[in-house]
Amino acid sequence: MKRILTVLLVILLSLTLVVGCAQKAPAPADEGKEKMKVGFVYIGPPGDGGWTYAHDQGRKYLEQELGVETIYKESVPEDQQSEKVMRDMIDQGAKVLFVTSFGYMDHVEKVAKEYPDITFMHCSGFKSAENFGNYFGRIEEPRYLSGIVAGMKSESGKIGYVAAFDIPEVVRGINAFTLGVQSVNPDAVVKVKWTNTWYDPAKEKEAAITLLDEGVDIIAQHQDTAGPQVAAEERGKFSVGYNSDMAAMAPKAYMTAPVWNWGPYYVQQVKAVMDGTWKAEAYWGGMKDGIVDLAPLTANAPEGAKEAVEKAKADILAGKLNVFAGPLKDQNGKEMVPAGSVLSDQDQLEMKWFVEGVEGKIGQ
Amino acid sequence: MQFRLVKKPEITQRQYTVIILTAIALALLTSGLFILLLGLNPIQVYLAMLNGAFGSTYRLEQTIIVAIPLVIISLGIAVAFKMKFWNIGAEGQVIMGAFFASYLALNYQDAPKPLLLLGMLAAGFLGGGLWGLIPAFFKARWGTNETIVTLMMNYIALKWITYLQYGPWKDPNSMGFPKIPNFTANAILPNFLGVHLGWVIALILVVIMYFFMNHSKKGFEIAVLGESLNTARYAGVNIFRTILFSMFISGGICGLAGMIQASAVGNTLSVEVAGGVGYTAIITAWLGALKAPWIVLVSVLFAALVQGSSYIQSAFGISAASASLIQAMILFFVLGSDFFTKYKVVFGSEFLTRGKEARE
Amino acid sequence: MKNGSAYVSMRDITKIFGTVLATDGMNLDVEKGEIHALLGENGAGKSTLMNMLSGIYIPDSGHIFIDNQERKFSSPRDAINAGVGMIHQHFKLVDILTALENILLGQRKGFLLQKKEQEIEIRKIMEKFHLEVDLKKYVYEMSVGEKQNLEILKTLYRGARVLILDEPTAVLTPQETVVLFRIMRRMKEQGCAVIFISHKMNEVMEIADRVTVLRKGQTIDTLKKEETNPQELTELMVGRPIDLSIKRLARVTDERVLKVSNLRALNEEGIEVLKGIKFDLCAGEILGVAGIAGSGQKELCEALAGLYPIKEGEILFKGEDLAGKNPKEFISRGISMSFIPEDRLGMGLVASMDMVDNILLKQYHHTKGIFVQRKPAATKAKEIIKKLDVQTPGIDHPIKNLSGGNIQKVLLGRELDSQPELLITAYPVRGLDINTCLKIYDILNEEKKKGVAILYIAEDLDSLLGLCDRIMVISNGEITGIVDARKATKEQLGAMMLGKKEDDYAV
């Protein structure tokens, strides 16, 4: 055993020497110091066909548009390891970091304090600082539209919703979806199943199967994988995706999905940093900014849905329709938003209650 | 093809060196082919790995931060392994140590910093130690298989933290996101020379464990018991107490690592506090021949491998799975070469011709 | 290629293990129809040479001829195909199968189809060699002698005409040895070549036609039995003149040190393995214990040493009852007893540790503080090396690398160092060469002279009869008698070992 180690050590030392000598021929990571370098921290792999895929599309768009160099790290857990990933990226020359999941928030805050010269952009959170902004989109708008599609399609009046964590972001989406469903199918209910994961294809599929066993005929989701879509496909039911077009994974089930389009926003932000005009903000764009949208309806969508969706979309764009306009009641029938008023952005950001018609519990 | 394994007699230093060098060459070659498949230059990638692990003060510090828990947990595992008590439960002991320490950190936030930290260290040791005592007691009293018991207890520990994180200990200010509140500054280990104080604790432990294992009566008894239960009984060693004692120490040291990880690295308790390092440390303890000074060396090398492959991920855009694959291939060859120092393979052709001659 | 006329001929056989030259150009010729003994001290290369003849090891250089044809074996199967079979000390039989099933196991021929025909063939072989084996009996029901016969039958059935027997008598009672020798003579009459490895000079003189003496990896000489004598053979083996007689010293006192009465113990399965053992032992006396292997000797020793649970009975050591106490309590009470266990590396010593740590094993309880003190142990180790002439590269060398004799010397040296009043030795000369045996007998006599009471468990009746004052025979957990070693005969002991109670011995 000792001998193994001795040999290993010798080899390592000699390799270190080689590196030392080869220092003048820089490793690719050290190339192009002048070039702007942007880092992306991903919660899943870019191939997830969902959340991270959408961000990675944005990253590629950014590279293409501005010619900046980007680095990324996939499947980073939402804990202290993410801090290390951020520091490593800064060590490798990144000047702007896009950190793309809610759970990174406190870690971004911590690292942002350590590196005041670096620009941090955190997706879906609510904290900020001088060099640390947050950004998100009103995905509720296309979710509401997807609810219309689901509500029209459902025959049993029961719709399943596979959801990640009971944080406001997800709760908001469920409520918006349910309101969309009820706008066309007032008696329908939306059953919620929590998975406590963002990215776990097997577990998320499992949750969808449980819902299907409970009699739902449409599956919607707030997850980063297409697991629930596959479950609906296998059972011959229908589904609403999320993040990106999921038609390929479930051609017979998939109807539409609320999708993200991060590219233009990323370009705009990085440009601002390069120009020195960047300022920390809490960005929350809607359909009219193009950051969110509803994917084209497939042939699986019910007849007349296209027209209904287009009408609602036009109303939203025109400011005539607000998803969280009163009157809104919670699950117990208590009035939360009176008629004539609209839920404030702050209340939306902290939303911790379900609207009437949702079957599920928060804070389990 | 027909082949057999034949046990080798003791081999010379020269043969040994050849085997190890071959293993390393093969490791670099195979992963090199893989890297080529990814469309990258293997030599550049290898150099980048070294660069990523040792290339700057920052990177060296990061490598040390990865090495700290490896060193400490390996030291703990070595105590049990020396006794041939196969403690696969370091992961769980780390978690329980972190849990005990976190209890103090979350409930006595206003205690003076040195007092709180010392208390947390003691609690971490106690938590890991008690968790280690359970399988030790089962083994000593009923002869249960410690490998299985310790392994299963890892899951219990993990699920316990999951329960806390999603339930009673969930941060009320996290808007529903399942995390335990961050420790206050009082409960966080300060930095010393760029890296958190854990490295000092690790080095002190290395010295203590060196003397404990090599020069103390208990360490001697543990070694005797590991070699032969009968000889230990013959020599008047109290088997029951020795098993319990050494597992308390083994688990306790792992628990210390849990406290350090929670306090200095995570700044709170989470299900990821051990993050598999309790299993990795089994490899480093074993490669370090269960000897304290070697454990330090192996752990640093191992940390460098981890850091290096993390670095190439973002530097070359290699996926996490591919980077792990390269890491695993290197390990596979180095660990696997140990087999060829003990056995040799006789291949079909030789075997058959000899047999044929004999039958003629 | 032709070479001489001997049936088995091994020429210039060299084998190196790591850095150790195990056999250095050895030669051996064995004829058909002869019993050829291989004599040599431990490490002389007997087993290595035979393992090469039977295909277990492959020689680094040299040639093996069987019936004038050169052979290269790479497995025991190759060897058996060429007609060479070896009966090892440890039998390779499956306990839960019958004798017949064991014989047929691993054969390439059909297993079930031709069972009947094969059984007929086997019975023919049994008849030819006068072998008696109950083919329907399960191996776990067999005595050691029966198992050995089965091994021989198995080897003969596979076509062996050259039989190698590796110390076959070590595990047998005198009666069983007689049976074995009859079978060996029968093999010889049938034209087999029989190679007999042994330590025991008297057996070699009884059965062998020719004797080849090996020493330190070299062939020293091959002699006809009629033309030599034990003295000459021993001197060839050892390489210098030697006195073979075992001395028996007169007893000096009658002071009783140990009194054991009604000692009973159960094994893990709850079967009684010690059935009311009763005996006395005096200062300056060597009490021998004879018995077939596994008759309760091990349990008796361990019970006395506090390592085996006792059901009932008394062990009075100088008036103090030791029953139910463990070694730790012995140490704290200052019980002056030393125990040389049968399994030296499994119980008495730690194989992977060096001499210093092995000596420390007995000392560390007596020093103060939490640290061990290796200095005194190292001094002691050097003393033992000098006093007992231990051959070792150094005190910090793992003892597992020492030869059996040197390991035993380390153990004895350590145990005697504590100046015990009672010494229990289980098979202290097992597996050791004659030179070391004599040295150990001398050491025991030395202790006897000092007034130490010695319990001497052994399998070799010659040494028991030569060394002891009295011999106690144990059979199936019971004492069948205690006899005066000056008057006892081997036949009498053999009968008692099989369970015949001595007339004047009342339980």
Side-chain angles (χ1 to χ4, degrees):
Chain A
M1 200 54 71
K2 270 188 192 175
R3 285 179 285 194
I4 298 188
L5 290 170
T6 319
V7 175
L8 266 182
L9 189 66
V10 168
I11 287 171
L12 200 97
L13 284 178
S14 44
L15 273 177
T16 319
L17 271 179
V18 172
V19 175
C21 301
Q23 208 55 277
K24 278 188 193 99
D30 298 331
E31 262 173 37
K33 284 251 159 68
E34 307 306 311
K35 221 170 171 186
M36 179 69 177
K37 208 177 210 173
V38 182
F40 286 80
V41 180
Y42 293 154
I43 182 80
D48 67 354
W51 177 260
T52 299
Y53 173 80
H55 282 287
D56 203 52
Q57 291 298 320
R59 177 183 69 83
K60 284 179 180 158
Y61 183 78
L62 172 69
E63 251 185 356
Q64 191 191 324
E65 290 295 304
L66 291 186
V68 298
E69 195 186 335
T70 62
I71 51 177
Y72 67 89
K73 184 115 192 253
E74 60 183 53
S75 304
V76 178
E78 289 171 305
D79 62 21
Q80 66 261 21
Q81 293 176 52
S82 64
E83 292 174 22
K84 201 175 109 47
V85 170
M86 287 181 251
R87 291 192 193 104
D88 284 352
M89 285 183 169
I90 295 162
D91 172 64
Q92 287 176 46
K95 294 279 174 273
V96 181
L97 290 182
F98 291 97
V99 191
T100 62
S101 187
F102 179 81
Y104 299 135
M105 183 165 62
D106 291 355
H107 305 289
V108 180
E109 187 182 33
K110 189 170 155 197
V111 179
K113 231 177 255 166
E114 291 168 26
Y115 296 92
D117 298 338
I118 307 294
T119 307
F120 293 81
M121 296 291 292
H122 176 235
C123 184
S124 80
F126 53 81
K127 290 190 178 174
S128 61
E130 190 129 321
N131 61 332
F132 161 30
N134 64 64
Y135 64 101
F136 205 45
R138 296 181 191 269
I139 194 79
E140 295 71 47
E141 295 171 358
R143 267 204 200 284
Y144 179 89
L145 301 179
S146 72
I148 294 174
V149 178
M152 290 174 77
K153 185 82 183 178
S154 178
E155 287 170 6
S156 66
K158 284 190 229 166
I159 294 167
Y161 199 109
V162 183
F165 296 94
D166 55 353
I167 57 176
E169 172 194 342
V170 181
V171 171
R172 219 156 52 221
I174 295 170
N175 285 337
F177 178 80
T178 307
L179 292 169
V181 167
Q182 288 170 345
S183 73
V184 294
N185 193 344
D187 298 327
V189 292
V190 173
K191 288 170 169 270
V192 175
K193 197 109 260 156
W194 302 112
T195 60
N196 282 322
T197 68
W198 292 118
Y199 184 84
D200 187 338
K203 198 170 179 187
E204 292 156 18
K205 185 180 166 191
E206 197 61 41
I209 288 173
T210 312
L211 285 166
L212 288 162
D213 286 343
E214 289 173 14
V216 309
D217 58 358
I218 313 273
I219 290 288
Q221 67 175 71
H222 194 143
Q223 302 282 184
D224 297 351
T225 81
Q229 306 292 309
V230 175
E233 172 95 358
E234 283 175 8
R235 292 293 181 95
K237 304 292 188 204
F238 298 93
S239 61
V240 171
Y242 176 47
N243 290 321
S244 60
D245 195 321
M246 288 178 166
M249 286 78 137
K252 289 205 207 82
Y254 169 83
M255 299 188 291
T256 184
V259 293
W260 295 97
N261 181 22
W262 302 105
Y265 178 70
Y266 286 164
V267 170
Q268 179 209 335
Q269 291 296 302
V270 173
K271 220 185 216 157
V273 173
M274 288 161 87
D275 299 343
T277 57
W278 187 88
K279 274 225 149 53
E281 58 169 358
Y283 173 79
W284 207 11
M287 275 201 295
K288 69 174 183 309
D289 303 318
I291 197 161
V292 293
D293 204 349
L294 189 72
L297 270 57
T298 68
N300 299 323
E303 240 170 85
K306 195 161 183 244
E307 293 70 25
V309 164
E310 266 166 17
K311 186 183 172 298
K313 186 173 173 180
D315 286 349
I316 291 171
L317 290 178
K320 282 198 272 179
L321 172 63
N322 189 304
V323 174
F324 292 115
L328 292 180
K329 285 184 183 163
D330 76 359
Q331 280 172 303
N332 305 319
K334 186 179 156 208
E335 190 178 80
M336 302 298 283
V337 184
S341 69
V342 167
L343 194 66
S344 72
D345 275 7
Q346 191 54 40
D347 287 341
Q348 287 188 36
L349 280 172
E350 290 173 5
M351 200 172 215
K352 290 209 85 177
W353 52 275
F354 277 142
V355 297
E356 216 169 16
V358 177
E359 283 183 15
K361 262 175 78 183
I362 295 175
Q364 277 181 330
Chain B
M1 182 161 58
Q2 208 175 355
F3 68 92
R4 307 182 289 144
L5 295 174
V6 180
K7 202 157 166 46
K8 266 186 200 172
E10 261 187 45
I11 59 167
T12 60
Q13 175 92 44
R14 235 179 86 95
Q15 288 170 309
Y16 214 96
T17 317
V18 169
I19 288 173
I20 300 302
L21 285 176
T22 316
I24 291 170
L26 277 176
L28 294 180
L29 210 73
T30 324
S31 353
L33 285 176
F34 179 68
I35 295 168
L36 275 177
L37 270 180
L38 295 175
L40 297 164
N41 178 346
I43 296 180
Q44 268 187 348
V45 171
Y46 291 144
L47 291 179
M49 279 177 89
L50 279 174
N51 190 15
F54 301 112
S56 69
T57 317
Y58 167 80
R59 292 171 195 167
L60 193 65
E61 283 168 8
Q62 292 301 313
T63 303
I64 291 170
I65 289 172
V66 176
I68 290 168
L70 275 178
V71 170
I72 298 177
I73 300 166
S74 300
L75 288 173
I77 288 173
V79 177
F81 274 27
K82 192 80 188 171
M83 194 172 66
K84 300 228 165 72
F85 186 106
W86 307 117
N87 178 16
I88 312 298
E91 185 87 356
Q93 289 143 18
V94 169
I95 290 173
M96 290 316 267
F99 161 63
F100 270 51
S102 302
Y103 179 83
L104 290 189
L106 295 172
N107 289 291
Y108 300 92
Q109 302 181 348
D110 302 327
K113 185 161 182 162
L115 195 69
L116 181 59
L117 285 175
L118 282 176
M120 284 167 66
L121 280 171
F125 193 93
L126 186 71
L130 290 177
W131 205 243
L133 269 186
I134 298 170
F137 180 79
F138 283 179
K139 165 96 173 181
R141 180 50 56 87
W142 294 297
T144 52
N145 181 322
E146 74 275 15
T147 314
I148 303 209
V149 177
T150 50
L151 184 66
M152 290 303 146
M153 287 182 63
N154 289 346
Y155 296 107
I156 300 177
L158 191 67
K159 291 297 165 193
W160 169 241
I161 304 302
T162 313
Y163 164 73
L164 291 178
Q165 185 174 333
Y166 285 80
W169 282 20
K170 187 155 125 177
D171 186 354
N173 301 320
S174 72
M175 312 293 295
F177 190 76
K179 73 180 288 294
I180 293 167
N182 276 359
F183 294 173
T184 52
N186 273 356
I188 293 175
L189 272 184
N191 274 14
F192 182 62
L193 299 180
V195 178
H196 67 77
L197 215 53
W199 71 270
V200 180
I201 299 174
L203 285 186
I204 293 173
L205 270 178
V206 167
V207 175
I208 293 177
M209 292 319 288
Y210 177 82
F211 280 99
F212 175 75
M213 294 307 286
N214 294 304
H215 296 286
S216 81
K217 286 182 178 176
K218 270 288 167 218
F220 181 65
E221 287 186 338
I222 288 168
V224 171
L225 180 53
E227 288 296 330
S228 163
L229 176 77
N230 277 329
T231 305
R233 292 200 312 136
Y234 171 93
V237 175
N238 186 327
I239 312 288
F240 187 82
R241 266 174 43 191
T242 306
I243 292 178
L244 259 58
F245 175 82
S246 48
M247 268 310 284
F248 184 70
I249 299 289
S250 176
I253 293 171
C254 294
L256 272 185
M259 177 273 166
I260 291 168
Q261 290 303 96
S263 163
V265 181
N267 299 351
T268 185
L269 178 66
S270 84
V271 289
E272 292 282 345
V273 68
V277 71
Y279 298 110
T280 312
I282 295 172
I283 300 174
T284 45
W286 198 249
L287 276 179
L290 309 182
K291 293 187 169 74
W294 287 107
I295 282 174
V296 178
L297 181 68
V298 174
S299 299
V300 171
L301 289 183
F302 202 97
L305 188 62
V306 172
Q307 270 300 102
S309 47
S310 161
Y311 179 81
I312 57 169
Q313 263 183 71
S314 37
F316 292 88
I318 296 176
S319 73
S322 307
S324 306
L325 202 65
I326 294 170
Q327 196 184 324
M329 275 195 266
I330 293 174
L331 258 184
F332 172 80
F333 279 101
V334 174
L335 288 173
S337 68
D338 203 43
F339 175 82
F340 289 97
T341 62
K342 296 193 187 83
Y343 296 92
K344 66 176 173 185
V345 180
V346 180
F347 281 101
S349 54
E350 189 191 2
F351 180 58
L352 286 177
T353 47
R354 285 189 176 197
K356 213 163 114 200
E357 274 172 39
R359 277 190 290 276
E360 269 163 10
Chain C
M1 191 169 152
K2 292 269 169 192
N3 188 292
S5 60
Y7 186 66
V8 175
S9 178
M10 300 180 80
R11 290 275 150 258
D12 296 321
I13 304 287
T14 299
K15 178 79 189 170
I16 300 167
F17 291 119
T19 53
V20 181
L21 194 57
T23 70
D24 181 8
M26 275 191 177
N27 295 309
L28 178 70
D29 288 308
V30 184
E31 298 292 351
K32 270 186 167 176
E34 78 160 338
I35 296 176
H36 195 113
L38 274 190
L39 255 181
E41 292 191 281
N42 291 68
K46 302 181 300 268
S47 295
T48 309
L49 188 67
M50 287 302 106
N51 280 331
M52 286 187 278
L53 183 55
S54 62
I56 292 170
Y57 296 151
I58 300 166
D60 293 332
S61 67
H63 308 275
I64 298 172
F65 301 92
I66 313 269
D67 202 8
N68 288 328
Q69 183 138 24
E70 179 157 14
R71 307 284 185 164
K72 282 192 164 46
F73 303 144
S74 65
S75 75
R77 192 177 280 280
D78 293 346
I80 196 85
N81 285 341
V84 180
M86 184 155 170
I87 317 291
H88 295 269
Q89 279 178 317
H90 303 285
F91 304 132
K92 292 167 178 174
L93 297 170
V94 182
D95 270 354
I96 51 159
L97 296 181
T98 63
L100 182 63
E101 288 165 339
N102 264 287
I103 295 170
L104 298 182
L105 200 68
Q107 294 291 77
R108 285 200 176 155
K109 301 167 198 163
F111 182 68
L112 289 168
L113 285 174
Q114 300 151 349
K115 205 168 170 180
K116 267 266 149 356
E117 292 162 41
Q118 292 181 352
E119 192 177 334
I120 293 165
E121 206 181 318
I122 291 168
R123 293 209 180 272
K124 270 189 206 152
I125 295 169
M126 285 164 64
E127 212 169 295
K128 192 168 155 192
F129 292 96
H130 299 182
L131 262 165
E132 278 170 38
V133 176
D134 180 354
L135 292 177
K136 299 273 177 285
K137 201 169 181 178
Y138 284 95
V139 171
Y140 63 79
E141 294 173 331
M142 291 182 169
S143 72
V144 178
E146 284 176 293
K147 285 184 196 170
Q148 195 174 55
N149 283 352
L150 173 57
E151 275 281 359
I152 294 171
L153 176 59
K154 190 171 98 182
T155 312
L156 287 170
Y157 174 71
R158 297 200 171 164
R161 288 298 167 262
V162 179
L163 279 113
I164 306 161
L165 297 150
D166 189 4
E167 298 196 36
T169 59
V171 291
L172 302 181
T173 62
Q175 282 80 357
E176 285 173 324
T177 306
V178 171
V179 175
L180 175 69
F181 282 2
R182 208 167 56 217
I183 296 165
M184 284 166 69
R185 289 202 183 92
R186 187 66 195 165
M187 290 181 195
K188 173 175 135 181
E189 286 162 24
Q190 292 292 329
C192 293
V194 181
I195 302 173
F196 174 63
I197 304 176
S198 181
H199 275 127
K200 297 177 189 170
M201 192 61 70
N202 54 343
E203 291 178 350
V204 169
M205 294 308 289
E206 186 184 337
I207 189 96
D209 297 308
R210 289 195 297 163
V211 184
T212 294
V213 180
L214 309 178
R215 188 171 73 224
K216 291 182 180 157
Q218 287 177 323
T219 319
I220 302 302
D221 205 354
T222 300
L223 301 156
K224 286 210 172 89
K225 181 183 61 185
E226 296 78 29
E227 292 165 11
T228 184
N229 56 59
Q231 189 68 36
E232 184 191 13
L233 288 174
T234 309
E235 284 172 12
L236 283 173
M237 232 166 86
V238 178
R240 58 184 163 77
I242 200 159
D243 178 11
L244 273 182
S245 61
I246 303 174
K247 285 187 231 62
R248 182 182 359 242
L249 302 179
R251 279 173 58 187
V252 284
T253 101
D254 275 335
E255 181 204 343
R256 192 162 67 190
V257 175
L258 184 70
K259 181 177 173 1
V260 174
S261 47
N262 192 32
L263 186 65
R264 290 177 189 277
L266 305 180
N267 68 9
E268 280 175 359
E269 281 97 47
I271 298 161
E272 198 165 50
V273 282
L274 295 178
K275 304 169 178 170
I277 304 284
K278 178 188 136 187
F279 69 92
D280 293 337
L281 180 55
C282 294
E285 179 188 31
I286 301 182
L287 174 63
V289 178
I292 301 168
S295 295
Q297 296 97 319
K298 183 167 173 272
E299 290 80 3
L300 174 61
C301 295
E302 291 184 8
L304 295 177
L307 293 163
Y308 203 87
I310 291 164
K311 194 178 149 220
E312 59 174 304
E314 247 187 349
I315 303 169
L316 285 179
F317 174 74
K318 296 172 79 187
E320 187 173 1
D321 190 2
L322 303 183
K325 297 200 167 53
N326 62 34
K328 181 105 191 177
E329 286 167 294
F330 283 20
I331 294 163
S332 57
R333 281 157 184 270
I335 301 295
S336 173
M337 176 201 289
S338 280
F339 173 37
I340 314 288
E342 173 182 355
D343 186 0
R344 291 155 208 161
L345 292 180
M347 180 174 260
L349 299 166
V350 182
S352 62
M353 291 184 172
D354 61 17
M355 248 184 103
V356 177
D357 278 9
N358 271 292
I359 286 164
L360 199 60
L361 209 56
K362 253 301 164 57
Q363 293 190 334
Y364 80 98
H365 284 298
H366 303 294
T367 54
K368 286 204 182 83
I370 61 158
F371 288 109
V372 292
Q373 290 166 14
R374 285 199 169 80
K375 267 218 180 97
T379 317
K380 199 116 287 167
K382 284 179 194 139
E383 278 173 32
I384 290 171
I385 288 175
K386 221 160 147 194
K387 210 163 101 192
L388 300 186
D389 188 27
V390 181
Q391 300 298 316
T392 166
I395 56 169
D396 49 6
H397 200 73
I399 58 161
K400 68 178 169 198
N401 293 347
L402 306 186
S403 73
N406 288 310
I407 290 172
Q408 184 68 306
K409 283 177 184 171
V410 172
L411 182 53
L412 257 175
R414 183 189 74 195
E415 289 307 310
L416 296 179
D417 178 68
S418 59
Q419 314 246 325
E421 289 176 66
L422 171 61
L423 177 63
I424 300 166
T425 61
Y427 308 104
V429 298
R430 177 185 279 175
L432 305 186
D433 57 60
I434 189 127
N435 213 9
T436 317
C437 288
L438 291 171
K439 176 87 188 170
I440 298 220
Y441 298 145
D442 284 345
I443 294 168
L444 294 179
N445 272 326
E446 196 74 15
E447 294 301 307
K448 176 180 177 179
K449 209 155 54 178
K450 284 192 218 154
V452 178
I454 300 170
L455 191 67
Y456 174 77
I457 290 100
E459 50 208 348
D460 171 21
L461 296 182
D462 290 309
S463 77
L464 280 163
L465 289 167
L467 183 70
C468 302
D469 296 297
R470 290 183 298 153
I471 299 171
M472 172 164 86
V473 182
I474 187 167
S475 172
N476 196 18
E478 270 181 299
I479 303 292
T480 49
I482 299 177
V483 294
D484 187 335
R486 289 174 192 82
K487 294 175 194 153
T489 64
K490 281 195 204 175
E491 288 66 32
Q492 183 192 9
L493 291 175
M496 290 163 71
M497 282 159 75
L498 289 172
K500 183 178 176 295
K501 289 220 169 72
E502 191 60 12
D503 297 336
D504 58 351
Y505 186 77
V507 177

